[in-house]
């Protein structure tokens, strides 16, 4: 499909699906077909401008032309995972204290707001996500003063942050902005150990947090579209949330042996990893499209019940052989797309991205000084 006609198609599709997004609750109206996703099939990328808890370690600000390129390529979705300490004013030579957590730095939040506006300028729906919340993050590297699952103060501070963002973006419609509450909830035996055991949360514990945050947000704007990541690191549907009428977000990383092959933050020892095949036997499991269909069946069933479903993160680290990555990812995105579920690649530029990924087995195309993985871009466009 020619680029202009594809852009026209995306525009017309966006207009037709926008009708179901008059508000968060109406997005789940019974008027929507039982097979139709209650939220649009957004496709796009995560942007990591505020991903690090330490602003000194932040990436350079995303240049505006990235959002223009996305628009030209036919994408319409930007997810912004934020570490709350990145926009807090406190003494960074010490661990953050409970007293520090609400010291919001307005200059820092202005930068977040500017990124949101820049993405929206090019027609992208923005999903604002708290990746590191007061008392919880799936990643290590920062000492929290409490635990969000066991300490009421942590929950209260979490809601304080979301109420701040709700006020900040009060006038934005759910067509343009949604709130993805908490990245990849799970129970971690050791909150400071990246390799600590990660298990499924009791559903009522997760529901309590989601309900509290939803209440705080909807006190400001009752029409704000809210998304809750799946339980157990985003992998499991959370039935306890269905009656809350919030969308749910899955992940596109299964199986991890493909998506995170040789990733040093996942594998302590990368010297003994099995040879990858797709489809094929890898270790004790046979990797295939059928396996992926079984993994995503509960998410498809959830979508068919009228609950919005989106895949907030997906992709593959740059050590996986490119041909294996593309074969697996084509099956994964086909399953999502055929079931009206959108997705966001974990980053546009970087080791998971289509630009400057650092893969050693890609014939890159020069793209305004960047190295473009054209095969991956085409796969994403066709999904």
């Amino acid at each position: 499909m020619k680029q202009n006609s594809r852009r026209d198609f995306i525009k017309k599709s966006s207009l037709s699906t926008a009708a179901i997004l008059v508000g968060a609750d109406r997005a789940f109206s019974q008027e929507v077909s039982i097979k139709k996703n209650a939220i649009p099939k957004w496709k796009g990328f995560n942007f990591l401008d505020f991903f690090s808890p330490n602003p000194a370690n932040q990436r350079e600000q995303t240049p505006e032309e990235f959002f223009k390129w996305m628009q030209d390529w036919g994408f319409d979705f930007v997810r912004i995972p934020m570490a709350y300490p990145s926009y807090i004013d406190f003494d960074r030579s010490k661990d953050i204290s409970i007293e520090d957590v609400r010291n919001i730095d307005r200059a820092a939040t202005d930068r977040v707001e500017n990124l949101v506006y820049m993405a929206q300028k090019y027609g992208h729906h923005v999903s604002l996500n708290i990746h590191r919340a007061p008392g919880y993050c799936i990643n290590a590297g920062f000492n929290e003063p409490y635990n969000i699952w066991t300490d009421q103060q942590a929950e209260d501070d979490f809601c304080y942050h979301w109420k701040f963002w709700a006020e900040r973006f009060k006038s934005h419609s759910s067509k343009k902005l949604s709130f993805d509450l908490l990245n990849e909830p799970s129970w971690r035996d050791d909150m400071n150990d990246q390799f600590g055991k990660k298990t499924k949360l009791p559903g009522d514990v997760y529901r309590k947090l989601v309900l509290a945050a939803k209440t705080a947000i909807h006190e400001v704007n009752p029409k704000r579209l809210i998304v809750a990541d799946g339980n157990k690191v985003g992998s499991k549907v959370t039935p306890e949330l269905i009656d809350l009428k919030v969308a749910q977000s899955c992940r596109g990383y299964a199986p991890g042996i493909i998506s995170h092959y040789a990733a040093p933050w996942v594998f302590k020892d990368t010297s003994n990893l099995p040879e990858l095949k797709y489809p094929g036997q890898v270790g004790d499991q046979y990797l295939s499209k059928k396996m992926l269909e079984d993994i995503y069946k509960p998410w498809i069933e959830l979508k068919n019940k009228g609950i919005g479903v989106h895949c907030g993160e997906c992709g593959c680290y740059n050590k996986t052989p490119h041909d294996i990555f593309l074969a697996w990812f084509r099956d994964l995105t086909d399953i999502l797309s055929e079931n009206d579920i959108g997705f966001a690649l974990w980053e546009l530029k970087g080791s998971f991205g289509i630009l400057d990924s650092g893969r050693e087995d890609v014939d890159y195309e020069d793209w305004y000084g960047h190295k473009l993985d054209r095969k991956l871009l085409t796969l994403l466009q066709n999904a």
Side-chain angles (χ1 to χ4, degrees):
M1 183 182 293
K2 291 183 179 179
Q3 198 66 47
N4 288 340
S5 61
R6 178 171 183 81
R7 288 176 62 187
D8 290 342
F9 173 78
I10 294 294
K11 183 177 180 181
K12 291 176 182 177
S13 298
S14 298
L15 288 173
S16 63
T17 55
I20 67 171
L21 273 175
V22 173
D25 288 337
R26 286 187 65 187
F28 301 92
S29 168
Q30 293 181 354
E31 296 174 4
V32 178
S33 167
I34 194 67
K35 298 296 184 181
K36 181 73 176 174
N37 200 339
I39 59 176
K41 192 175 76 173
W42 291 302
K43 292 197 307 181
F45 302 87
N46 284 260
F47 286 83
L48 312 188
D49 297 46
F50 306 100
F51 178 71
S52 172
N54 186 350
N57 298 330
Q58 297 287 11
R59 296 188 177 191
E60 293 182 2
Q61 179 179 309
T62 296
E64 184 171 344
E65 59 260 32
F66 281 21
F67 300 115
K68 177 63 166 61
W69 296 343
M70 281 180 59
Q71 182 187 58
D72 291 343
W73 289 330
F75 299 102
D76 59 0
F77 182 83
V78 167
R79 183 173 181 260
I80 303 175
M82 304 180 296
Y84 81 93
S86 70
Y87 58 83
I88 296 298
D89 184 13
F90 69 100
D91 184 353
R92 297 183 185 275
S93 67
K94 303 175 183 178
D95 288 343
I96 195 168
S97 70
I98 293 175
E99 292 71 29
D100 295 324
V101 170
R102 298 193 183 195
N103 294 337
I104 292 177
D105 180 349
R106 299 307 173 96
T109 57
D110 282 348
R111 291 191 288 274
V112 175
E113 189 170 1
N114 289 338
L115 185 66
V116 171
Y117 288 150
M118 191 160 56
Q120 291 176 338
K121 177 181 176 180
Y122 293 93
H124 304 302
H125 177 92
V126 175
S127 172
L128 204 62
N129 165 248
I130 294 185
H131 188 278
R132 174 173 291 280
Y136 178 77
C137 186
I138 194 61
N139 294 346
F142 187 89
N143 292 322
E144 293 293 336
Y146 41 25
N147 186 324
I148 201 169
W149 308 122
T150 58
D151 298 315
Q152 185 61 44
Q153 185 62 53
E155 179 182 298
D156 292 346
D157 290 342
F158 178 69
C159 292
Y160 178 89
H161 279 255
W162 273 123
K163 192 163 187 176
F164 168 83
W165 289 116
E167 293 280 4
R168 193 80 170 202
F169 294 109
K170 183 177 181 178
S171 64
H172 288 231
S173 79
S174 286
K175 298 175 187 177
K176 296 182 177 181
L177 181 74
S178 56
F179 289 166
D180 180 353
L181 297 179
L182 178 67
N183 185 73
E184 298 178 359
S186 68
W187 183 264
R188 291 185 56 176
D189 291 340
D190 182 349
M191 298 294 287
N192 296 319
D193 178 7
Q194 173 64 37
F195 298 96
K197 186 178 180 182
K198 304 178 185 71
T199 59
K200 188 176 180 180
L201 282 164
D204 60 332
V205 173
Y206 187 26
R207 175 192 167 84
K208 179 176 180 289
L209 182 75
V210 172
L211 178 57
K214 177 188 176 182
T215 300
I217 292 165
H218 281 179
E219 284 177 357
V220 178
N221 182 347
K223 295 181 179 181
R224 174 64 57 223
L225 177 61
I226 294 174
V227 180
D229 283 7
N231 205 332
K232 197 177 181 181
V233 200
S235 67
K236 301 296 182 183
V237 166
T238 310
E240 292 84 357
L241 302 182
I242 289 176
D243 69 302
L244 298 184
K245 297 181 179 179
V246 298
Q248 295 193 36
S249 178
C250 61
R251 291 294 177 268
Y253 294 133
I257 191 62
I258 286 184
S259 66
H260 287 73
Y261 188 74
W265 66 93
V266 175
F267 297 96
K268 292 181 178 179
D269 180 7
T270 60
S271 62
N272 242 346
L273 294 176
E275 178 185 356
L276 289 184
K277 298 177 183 178
Y278 188 87
Q281 190 76 29
V282 179
D284 61 356
Q285 55 184 338
Y286 187 83
L287 311 184
S288 67
K289 187 171 185 178
K290 174 62 168 60
M291 175 202 68
L292 295 176
E293 289 171 342
D294 291 342
I295 289 172
Y296 290 100
K297 182 179 179 182
W299 293 98
I300 295 165
E301 291 173 345
L302 180 69
K303 182 265 301 183
N304 288 341
K305 291 177 182 177
I307 298 299
V309 174
H310 190 262
C311 181
E313 293 182 19
C314 59
C316 190
Y317 186 52
N318 63 11
K319 295 299 184 286
T320 300
H322 199 238
D323 58 340
I324 291 175
F325 163 38
L326 294 183
W328 159 77
F329 202 51
R330 184 174 292 107
D331 281 352
L332 190 154
T333 54
D334 281 352
I335 291 169
L336 294 174
S337 188
E338 288 166 3
N339 287 282
D340 202 34
I341 297 173
F343 56 86
L345 192 72
W346 181 258
E347 68 187 348
L348 185 141
K349 176 181 179 291
S351 58
F352 279 71
I354 62 173
L355 294 178
D356 305 330
S357 64
R359 296 181 184 276
E360 298 179 354
D361 55 350
V362 174
D363 184 14
Y364 289 106
E365 175 182 327
D366 180 70
W367 185 264
Y368 299 97
H370 296 279
K371 294 181 177 180
L372 172 63
D373 183 345
R374 175 63 71 174
K375 287 184 178 180
L376 177 56
L377 171 58
T378 301
L379 187 157
L380 293 169
Q381 289 175 311
N382 293 335

